[in-house]
Amino acid sequence: MENIVFPQGFLWGAATAAFQVEGATGVDGRTDSIWDAFCRVPGKVVGGDTGEPGADHYRRFEQDVALMKELGLKAYRFSIAWPRVRPDGGKVNQAGLDFYRRLVDTLLAHDIVPWPTLYHWDLPQKLEEAGGWTERDTAFRFADYATATVEALGDRVGTWTTLNEPWCSAFLGYAAGIHAPGRTEPAAAAAAVHHLLLAHGLANDVIRSAAPDAKVGITLNMYPIIPVDPGNPADLDVARRLDGLQQRIFLDPLLRGEYPADILADLEPFGFGEHIVEGDLGVISAPMDMLGVNYYTEHYVSSSPNGSEAAPSPWIGVQHASFPRRDAPRTDMDWEVRPDGLTAVLLRLHHDYPRIPLYITENGAAFRDDFSGSGAIDDVDRTGYIASHLRAAHTAIRAGVDLRGYFCWSLLDNFEWAEGYAKRFGIVHVDYATQIRTPKMSARWFSRVARDNALVAVS
Ligand code: FCB
C-alpha cells in the first residue's frame, strides 16, 4: 500500500453549520434568519423541510462532542448563529452567547479545537427586510455581532472564520434566488459581494482588537473552471468570466487589495463600482492568517447555448454558458467526482496567491446510504470519495502547498439547504425521528486516518 503520511500537526476535523444542524430555531431568544423565512415559501426547499428538527445539535451537542472525541477528531468547524447572538440583528442575547460558550467549553474539555465561522448564511430576517446584504449598513451590523461574539469567546477560540462561501450568499441568494433570501436581482448580487467582503474586513479588524493573538480567515468555495474547448476563444472567455465571478472577485480584493479589472468592467452594467467607497479595499485586504477552501467538484464550461445543462442564473451578465455533462461518477447531488480538481485548486492558490496557509474547510459527498439490514452503513462511495480527495490534497502538499488541515463535510447528516433533508452528507447517520446517531463506515475509516495522520487502506 502506498504510504500517504500528512505533515506533523495536520488538523483533522469535521464541519457543520448552525442552521443545518441545530434545530431549536425558536428557543432562548433566537429569531428568524433568512433561511427560516425562505423555508416557508412554498416550493423553495425540497419536501417543504425547515430548520426543524435538524440534527437537534442545540440540545444534543454534548453527546455530539463525545462522539467527535470517540472518533478522534482534533477540531470541530461549526458556525455561530447571528440570530441567536443578536436576534433581529439588534441587542445582544446572553442566552445565545451562552450556548456557544458551553459548546466551546465542552470542545476544549475534550481537547478538540473549536473552529467557529461567524456567518454561514443565516442573516437575521429583520436585516434582510431592511435590504440585507445589498445595504452597506449590514456590514457594520455584522461587525457589531462579531464584536459581541469575540468579546464572549475570544479567550477560548484561537481561530476565527468570518464568512462561509460569500459567493453563495451573494449569487445564489440575490441573483439566482435558489438560496435565501430568494431574490433574483443581478444588481443586488453585485452589491452583496462588496458588502460581504466589507463585513469580512470589518470583522477581521474587530477580532484583532478584541483578541490580538487570534488567527483570522475566510472560507471560499473553489472550483477549477475548465473550458470545453481551450482552442475556442468564446469558451475561454466564458471560463474567464465564471472564474472571475466565482473566485477572483473574492480572492483578489482579499489577498491583493484590488478587484480584478476585467470583472469590474464586466459588472459595470450592474453598478458594482458604485458600492466601493474609498478605503474599503484597505479594510478588506487587511492581513489574514489562513484561507479556508471548500471543494466538491469542477465546472466544465462551454460558450454554447446548446450544452446539455442550461446556464444557471447566478453568473450575472454571462450569456450562453453551459455546463456539459462528462462521463464521470456523480454524487447524489449530481456533482461530478473530480479529486484532481482539488489538487488543481490548491496549486492555483499556491501560485497565484502565495504565502497564505490553507485549510480544506469542507469536502465530502452526499450519497444514498443503505441503512437496511444489519444497522451498519457501509458507505463505500463516501469513504472512497474522501479517500481520493485526501490523496489529491496530499499530492498538492508534496508539490509544496502549505495545506494545514482537512475538515470533512459533514459530521452529521443535516439540512442541505434547498435540498432539505433529502441529501445526506454525514459521516454519521442521523435518524431525524429518533435523533439516533450511527457512525457510518466513512466515520470509522476517517477516525483511523486522523489517528494515524496517514491514509490507510479502505477496509
Ligand atoms: C457548501 C456549504 C455547506 C454544505 C455543502 C454541501 O456549499 O457551505 O453548508 O451545504 O455545500
Side-chain angles (χ1 to χ4, degrees):
M1 188 190 76
E2 205 188 342
N3 199 13
I4 298 187
V5 181
F6 283 80
Q8 224 188 348
F10 196 79
L11 196 62
W12 295 99
T16 65
F19 191 73
Q20 294 180 276
V21 294
E22 284 179 358
T25 49
V27 312
D28 293 342
R30 182 188 182 280
T31 55
D32 275 358
S33 73
I34 50 176
W35 272 95
D36 297 86
F38 191 68
C39 286
R40 289 185 204 116
V41 181
K44 289 296 186 186
V45 174
V46 170
D49 290 339
T50 68
E52 296 289 352
D56 201 26
H57 185 59
Y58 190 81
R59 296 189 180 88
R60 291 168 198 266
F61 73 90
E62 284 176 326
Q63 171 194 344
D64 291 338
V65 174
L67 179 56
M68 292 174 216
K69 184 71 190 170
E70 189 196 316
L71 292 174
L73 301 183
K74 311 281 189 279
Y76 177 44
R77 176 177 184 251
F78 59 98
S79 79
I80 294 175
W82 186 348
R84 288 196 196 282
V85 171
R86 282 186 178 263
D88 293 337
K91 288 208 188 70
V92 175
N93 173 34
Q94 196 54 45
L97 282 172
D98 286 347
F99 167 67
Y100 295 105
R101 190 176 292 141
R102 288 196 301 274
L103 173 60
V104 167
D105 285 348
T106 307
L107 289 164
L108 293 174
H110 287 77
D111 232 358
I112 297 172
V113 174
W115 192 279
T117 298
L118 286 169
Y119 187 69
H120 201 125
W121 307 353
D122 43 1
L123 181 72
Q125 171 64 12
K126 262 274 162 35
L127 293 185
E128 174 56 29
E129 285 161 17
W133 287 112
T134 68
E135 284 295 320
R136 188 175 171 86
D137 188 55
T138 301
F140 292 87
R141 301 288 73 76
F142 181 72
D144 292 344
Y145 151 61
T147 304
T149 308
V150 177
E151 279 174 358
L153 302 176
D155 57 341
R156 29 196 115 179
V157 167
T159 304
W160 292 92
T161 299
T162 54
L163 309 178
N164 176 72
E165 301 189 358
W167 182 84
C168 295
S169 299
F171 292 100
L172 298 184
Y174 289 88
I178 60 176
H179 276 192
R183 288 167 65 175
T184 49
E185 302 152 45
V193 167
H194 184 67
H195 298 144
L196 282 154
L197 283 167
L198 183 60
H200 157 84
L202 295 170
N204 187 357
D205 189 46
V206 156
I207 297 166
R208 299 234 183 261
S209 319
D213 297 332
K215 297 200 182 315
V216 184
I218 188 170
T219 275
L220 303 177
N221 45 330
M222 303 280 305
Y223 309 81
I225 299 196
I226 302 167
V228 167
D229 178 2
N232 175 351
D235 280 10
L236 285 178
D237 195 54
V238 156
R240 173 196 66 75
R241 288 187 72 138
L242 300 193
D243 180 61
L245 289 175
Q246 170 88 53
Q247 269 131 176
R248 290 181 291 117
I249 198 171
F250 298 104
L251 288 166
D252 281 20
L254 288 164
L255 297 167
R256 294 180 175 168
E258 59 188 11
Y259 282 109
D262 60 324
I263 297 306
L264 278 177
D266 288 348
L267 292 188
E268 232 217 275
F270 303 101
F272 183 57
E274 291 159 27
H275 304 290
I276 307 167
V277 173
E278 209 184 317
D280 284 359
L281 282 156
V283 173
I284 293 168
S285 64
M288 289 192 292
D289 305 291
M290 57 94 187
L291 178 67
V293 175
N294 291 355
Y295 178 79
Y296 290 96
T297 190
E298 289 176 349
H299 289 320
Y300 186 60
V301 304
S302 157
S303 57
S304 151
N306 304 318
S308 53
E309 284 171 33
S313 50
W315 282 286
I316 63 179
V318 175
Q319 309 291 327
H320 304 319
S322 56
F323 297 78
R325 292 181 79 89
R326 290 181 288 187
D327 188 19
R330 286 176 177 251
T331 69
D332 196 29
M333 297 292 282
D334 206 27
W335 295 346
E336 285 185 14
V337 179
R338 290 280 173 188
D340 291 352
L342 175 57
T343 315
V345 155
L346 295 171
L347 287 173
R348 189 253 182 116
L349 288 170
H350 179 64
H351 290 126
D352 293 356
Y353 305 90
R355 285 182 294 283
I356 180 131
L358 305 176
Y359 288 82
I360 295 169
T361 41
E362 284 182 29
N363 174 245
F367 286 109
R368 281 168 198 271
D369 298 319
D370 180 8
F371 198 19
S372 51
S374 64
I377 301 175
D378 291 338
D379 56 339
V380 178
D381 30 23
R382 183 176 295 100
T383 308
Y385 179 100
I386 297 174
S388 62
H389 286 75
L390 285 176
R391 270 185 228 108
H394 194 263
T395 302
I397 293 172
R398 280 202 310 271
V401 174
D402 184 6
L403 179 68
R404 301 194 181 176
Y406 175 97
F407 293 80
C408 75
W409 183 271
S410 172
L411 176 71
L412 302 169
D413 286 335
N414 62 55
F415 174 83
E416 177 45 36
W417 309 114
E419 303 288 341
Y421 294 102
K423 306 291 179 199
R424 290 181 177 269
F425 273 92
I427 56 172
V428 173
H429 179 272
V430 176
D431 178 328
Y432 295 111
T434 62
Q435 290 297 337
I436 289 173
R437 276 82 165 124
T438 308
K440 305 175 191 177
M441 184 177 91
S442 53
R444 300 286 174 210
W445 174 84
F446 189 66
S447 163
R448 288 207 303 277
V449 175
R451 184 196 61 200
D452 298 345
N453 198 38
L455 206 56
V456 294
V458 176
S459 57

